Each structure stands twice: as structure tokens, then as C-alpha cells.
């Protein structure tokens, strides 16, 4: 019996990537109603390629549900350096979810939490029933890699992925998946705007984890550190603790989910109508060919 395969899409990652891949030229692909579609166009390229590449039996798409989450309560400056999304991208958020719905694929998102938390919780909950592939551009999700869970990080261009599995993870990064959390705790994250230990970069953090295995062990054995490093760890210990909490993706959320609704049907009558009539895309055949669709184009 063929094992079931669940593909979890990081919707925001694909949409943002699709938008910025074309918007730098000023091409927002407005339709006759003046609605920008460039992000949707890119999303469809990446989305259909992921389905073609990983051949899932089931698919979900996870989304952030606003800029504020429980992490902002832990650390008020979390992601405060992020600019508001471009005005041309804003209407494409809901339209992209409509695209996913037209594919008869569930959109998952919970207010107060990030898409990563939904992805992590679903992956850990169902990894014994499915072979799970997570598609994203966010390397934070590497901490989720484990038995029957692989993370495919999108690289430049369509169809290029760096796939991390439990078998190749250490060879690629010289760390275990759970050590990614401690790595980010030590380094901090300028993109998400949390501090880590000032003066500790990637090379130093990696060296410390290879020596002490974890932040917990590092703190227990800090007296064996050099005087300079001991001072840094002690001075920024509070930042280290909060950064670890911020870096940790939740994997125990209770999410109402019927995975029978996520079964990939490969029946695109509704998506064809939506893409052509509502969004006015004329080149749908390029996407449907990837999906081995047998519907005759009009």
C-alpha cells in the first residue's frame, strides 16, 4: 500500500516570494478591474511546482493571521522592524486564500499564532500517519525536521529546493534539528528583531553548540568558558532565554482539522473558473500541465 503524503505549504512565504520576484520591475499584472495579480501569479508557479515535485496525496496551506502574535506579548519589539506590506500586495492576501479554496484545499491559520506554529503542530501530530513535506523559504522551520518530516527550502527560481531530512540534516548543518532553536537563541535574529547574545554570530554559536550541545548545558558549564565569553553569556542571559522562547515553533497546538478534506482531488473545474473569470489569467495551461490535469482547456 502506498504511504500517504501530506504537503504543507507556507502560504505567506510563497505569496511574498511571488510578489517580490516581479514587483521590482513595477509589474503588478493589473487585470481589467485594476486588481494586482503578480503575487498570485508567482504563488501559482511555486504552488503547482511543489505539487508536481512532491506528488502529495493530501495538501494544506498555512497562513499568518495578522502581525501580532503571542510572541509580541513575550517581547514587544518582536518583528517591530517590519514595514507594512506594499499596497499592491494587500488585496492579494485574501485572493490567494480564495485560490487555495478553489483548489478544494484547506487554508489553516489561527489568530495570535504564526503559520509556523500551525505547520509545526500539524506536522508533529500527523507524522506517524503521513510522509510530510513542508515547503517554505523560512529556515526557522528546519527545527521541525524529524521522522517522516522533511522541509524543502525554496531556492532561487522555480523548482529549486534544498530538502532537509532526518537522514541528511547533520551532514548539511552539523547540528540536529532541535539545536536550530538554541542556535537562533544565541545568535538572535535581525529579521525577527530579537537580540540573542550580543557579539555571538553564526560561527561562534555553532562552535558553542558543538562543544556544549545545548544552551542549557552551556549555562550549567559556563565556568569553563573563556573570560570574555563567560561575561557575554552572563550579561545577556535574559536575552538568551527570551530569544529561545521566541525562536521555538509550537508543536502542540490543538487545531481542528479533518485531513480527509485535504485529500488532493486533482479536479480543477472550480479553479479554472476562478483563475480565468475572476482573476483574468489567460495562461492557466502552464499550471495545469504541471498537475497532469486531464481537463480540456477551452
Amino acid at each position: 500500500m502506498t504511504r500517504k503524503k501530506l504537503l504543507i505549504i507556507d502560504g505567506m512565504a510563497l505569496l511574498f516570494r511571488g510578489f517580490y520576484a516581479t514587483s521590482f520591475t513595477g509589474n503588478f499584472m493589473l487585470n481589467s478591474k485594476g486588481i494586482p495579480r503578480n503575487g498570485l501569479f508567482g504563488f501559482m508557479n511555486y504552488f503547482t511546482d511543489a505539487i508536481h515535485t512532491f506528488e502529495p496525496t493530501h495538501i494544506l496551506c498555512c497562513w499568518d493571521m495578522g502581525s501580532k502574535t503571542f510572541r509580541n506579548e513575550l517581547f514587544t519589539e518582536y518583528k517591530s522592524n517590519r514595514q507594512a506590506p506594499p499596497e499592491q500586495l494587500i488585496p492579494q492576501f485574501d485572493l490567494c486564500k480564495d485560490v487555495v479554496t478553489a483548489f478544494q484545499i484547506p487554508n489553516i491559520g489561527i489568530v495570535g499564532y504564526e503559520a509556523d506554529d500551525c505547520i509545526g503542530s500539524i506536522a508533529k501530530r500527523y507524522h506517524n500517519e503521513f510522509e510530510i513535506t513542508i515547503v517554505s523559504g523560512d529556515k526557522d522551520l528546519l527545527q521541525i525536521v524529524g521522522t517522516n518530516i522533511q522541509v524543502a527550502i525554496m531556492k532561487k527560481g522555480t523548482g529549486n529546493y534544498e530538502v532537509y531530512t532526518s537522514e541528511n540534516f547533520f551532514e548539511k548543518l552539523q547540528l540536529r534539528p532541535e539545536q536550530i532553536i538554541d542556535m537562533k537563541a544565541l545568535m538572535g535574529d535581525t529579521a525577527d528583531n530579537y537580540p540573542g547574545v550580543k557579539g555571538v554570530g553564526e560561527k561562534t554559536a555553532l562552535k558553542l553548540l558543538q562543544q556544549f550541545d545545548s544552551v542549557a548545558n552551556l549555562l550549567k558549564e559556563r565556568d569553563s568558558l573563556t573570560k570574555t565569553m563567560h561575561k557575554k553569556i552572563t550579561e545577556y542571559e535574559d536575552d538568551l532565554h527570551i530569544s529561545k522562547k521566541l525562536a521555538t515553533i509550537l508543536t502542540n497546538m490543538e487545531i481542528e482539522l479533518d485531513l480527509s478534506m485535504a485529500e488532493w482531488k486533482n479536479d480543477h473545474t472550480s479553479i479554472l473558473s476562478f483563475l480565468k473569470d475572476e482573476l483574468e489569467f489567460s495562461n492557466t495551461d502552464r499550471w495545469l500541465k504541471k498537475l497532469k490535469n486531464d481537463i480540456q482547456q477551452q
Side-chain angles (χ1 to χ4, degrees):
M1 182 177 178
T2 303
R3 187 172 174 82
K4 295 183 291 185
K5 298 180 180 179
L6 173 60
L7 176 64
I8 305 178
I9 298 288
D10 182 348
M12 205 69 77
L14 271 64
L15 180 59
F16 268 84
R17 195 180 190 92
F19 178 83
Y20 286 111
T22 52
S23 63
F24 72 95
T25 65
N27 179 18
F28 298 110
M29 299 179 64
L30 303 180
N31 66 9
S32 65
K33 302 171 187 175
I35 298 172
R37 303 168 301 161
N38 64 311
L40 300 172
F41 180 83
F43 178 91
M44 282 295 299
N45 284 340
Y46 301 133
F47 182 70
T48 54
D49 184 81
I51 296 171
H52 174 75
T53 300
F54 299 107
E55 299 182 329
T57 60
H58 295 69
I59 308 173
L60 296 172
C61 192
C62 293
W63 299 90
D64 293 336
M65 298 295 288
S67 59
K68 300 295 183 182
T69 70
F70 76 94
R71 291 179 176 85
N72 297 99
E73 298 175 7
L74 293 173
F75 187 68
T76 57
E77 296 302 307
Y78 181 71
K79 292 190 177 181
S80 64
N81 56 337
R82 300 280 182 95
Q83 295 182 345
E87 62 177 316
Q88 296 89 352
L89 178 57
I90 292 173
Q92 298 185 66
F93 290 134
D94 286 339
L95 284 173
C96 199
K97 293 177 185 177
D98 290 341
V99 166
V100 173
T101 298
F103 268 114
Q104 303 178 63
I105 292 169
N107 288 297
I108 305 295
I110 298 179
V111 174
Y113 298 88
E114 296 183 32
D116 288 0
D117 300 312
C118 295
I119 292 169
S121 295
I122 293 169
K124 293 298 184 181
R125 178 178 172 184
Y126 290 103
H127 76 279
N128 288 324
E129 300 174 42
F130 293 83
E131 291 179 3
I132 295 174
T133 299
I134 299 164
V135 171
S136 178
D138 184 0
K139 290 188 175 182
D140 290 355
L141 284 162
L142 294 180
Q143 64 187 264
I144 303 301
V145 171
T147 303
N148 295 329
I149 302 172
Q150 64 179 14
V151 174
I153 298 295
M154 302 167 67
K155 300 174 70 176
K156 188 174 182 179
T158 304
N160 297 319
Y161 306 93
E162 182 79 19
V163 181
Y164 295 83
T165 68
S166 56
E167 290 77 21
N168 69 20
F169 198 93
F170 191 84
E171 180 182 353
K172 287 179 178 291
L173 296 176
Q174 288 74 59
L175 292 171
R176 302 187 309 278
E178 64 270 19
Q179 289 178 301
I180 294 294
I181 301 170
D182 285 357
M183 183 85 167
K184 289 179 65 66
L186 287 162
M187 292 171 53
D189 189 318
T190 55
D192 288 345
N193 200 43
Y194 58 83
V197 177
K198 189 174 181 180
V200 172
E202 182 175 359
K203 289 183 179 179
T204 302
L206 179 60
K207 183 178 178 180
L208 289 171
L209 289 175
Q210 289 174 337
Q211 180 179 354
F212 295 98
D213 190 66
S214 68
V215 164
N217 286 340
L218 170 63
L219 293 173
K220 286 179 184 177
E221 300 176 30
R222 73 178 77 187
D223 288 344
S224 64
L225 294 167
T226 64
K227 185 177 180 180
T228 300
M229 185 57 64
H230 185 283
K231 181 179 179 181
K232 286 181 180 180
I233 294 296
T234 301
E235 183 176 356
Y236 296 103
E237 184 173 353
D238 288 345
D239 288 340
L240 180 59
H241 286 302
I242 193 65
S243 294
K244 181 165 182 175
K245 289 181 180 178
L246 296 171
T248 302
I249 292 173
L250 300 184
T251 59
N252 59 353
M253 292 173 61
E254 292 292 333
I255 298 174
E256 291 187 14
L257 185 59
D258 179 0
L259 275 187
S260 67
M261 302 299 292
E263 186 173 356
W264 175 234
K265 300 173 182 63
N266 207 19
D267 174 8
H268 307 310
T269 305
S270 58
I271 190 63
L272 275 172
S273 175
F274 188 72
L275 291 172
K276 287 185 172 183
D277 300 337
E278 296 296 323
L279 298 178
E280 300 176 16
F281 282 118
S282 60
N283 53 352
T284 56
D285 58 327
R286 65 180 294 168
W287 298 318
L288 298 182
K289 282 180 181 178
K290 286 185 182 179
L291 305 178
K292 302 177 182 177
N293 177 63
D294 60 0
I295 293 176
Q296 295 298 315
Q297 299 297 298
Q298 299 295 323

